[in-house]
Amino acid sequence: MLDALRQPLENGRITIHRAAGTASFPARFQLVLASNPCPCGHYGSSDEECTCSPNARRRYLARMSGPLLDRVDIRLTVRRLGIAAIRSAAHRAPDRSSRVLRARVETARAIAAERLRGTDWTRNADVSGSWLRSGAHRLGPRSIAPLDRALERGAITMRGYDRTLRLAWTLADLDASTSPDVDHVGRALFLRRGIAS
């Protein structure tokens, strides 16, 4: 069932084939997935002991296929928070209110829409990879070096390369930068496979 999401995640449309014909429907959506680290949910916890075998953990995580995960732009492992971390986070993040974050996202979307004016796109998520890899918006060799190395090592696929580029442009828009630099590309790569502490 999850693998049926691959087509709409890739092209924003779903096509249904039946004996009487074929119908295609718009299917743009934002996919948010969450999972425990293992069947018991305690793997990696400092205060609970995991009772799952390594094979059970592998089987559990393999329920989501590689091709589906390759279409997920941001993948983070979030560690369980203790009460001290929750209390300290509440005191040190006044600039993280929903109102402030919403304004920042709206500004970034306006920057992207302005850059993409005259194209078929309004958001970074919609831009084709070939457009980002060529022409005026192609990033310089220094900026793109971490991404090229990840592709050469096999750490990402070509689809992942393009999705990371889109994410780097989004990060640059959030920072109000004219284009992504090596830091934006590195952060985008981290968000594809990173771990949040």
Side-chain angles (χ1 to χ4, degrees):
M1 191 60 108
L2 286 170
D3 277 341
L5 297 173
R6 285 164 48 185
Q7 179 192 9
L9 278 171
E10 190 67 26
N11 57 24
R13 299 195 68 73
I14 191 157
T15 305
I16 300 172
H17 301 277
R18 293 290 181 257
T22 300
S24 190
F25 302 98
R28 278 254 173 246
F29 61 96
Q30 183 176 27
L31 177 67
V32 178
L33 301 168
S35 170
N36 284 324
C38 65
C40 77
H42 299 303
Y43 182 70
S45 172
S46 58
D47 56 346
E48 300 277 349
E49 186 176 341
C50 175
T51 58
C52 305
S53 70
N55 281 340
R57 285 195 298 271
R58 265 194 301 280
R59 274 195 314 275
Y60 178 77
L61 294 175
R63 291 178 4 187
M64 285 206 276
S65 70
L68 174 63
L69 288 175
D70 199 30
R71 288 165 172 86
V72 175
D73 294 339
I74 299 173
R75 290 180 265 170
L76 284 176
T77 299
V78 181
R79 303 283 181 221
R80 185 183 298 188
L81 292 177
I83 192 69
I86 292 170
R87 286 184 180 146
S88 69
H91 294 302
R92 64 182 153 98
D95 61 335
R96 300 282 184 192
S97 71
S98 294
R99 184 175 52 245
V100 169
L101 293 176
R102 179 184 176 131
R104 192 171 171 209
V105 168
E106 287 173 346
T107 300
R109 283 190 147 196
I111 291 169
E114 178 62 28
R115 180 178 61 253
L116 298 171
R117 194 166 29 121
T119 69
D120 295 336
W121 311 295
T122 57
R123 304 175 313 148
N124 293 323
D126 302 328
V127 177
S128 76
S130 59
W131 190 81
L132 289 173
R133 288 182 269 112
S134 61
H137 296 290
R138 182 179 181 178
L139 300 181
R142 185 178 184 285
S143 296
I144 211 75
L147 196 51
D148 288 342
R149 281 194 304 273
L151 183 64
E152 287 171 9
R153 285 193 330 262
I156 58 170
T157 63
M158 197 63 218
R159 177 183 292 114
Y161 187 102
D162 290 344
R163 288 182 169 275
T164 305
L165 271 179
R166 290 184 200 114
L167 186 53
W169 274 99
T170 298
L171 293 171
D173 292 341
L174 285 167
D175 288 347
S177 299
T178 54
S179 71
D181 58 21
V182 68
D183 179 59
H184 294 117
V185 172
R187 284 172 24 208
L189 274 169
F190 172 81
L191 288 171
R192 259 194 88 74
R193 301 197 57 112
I195 297 174
S197 54

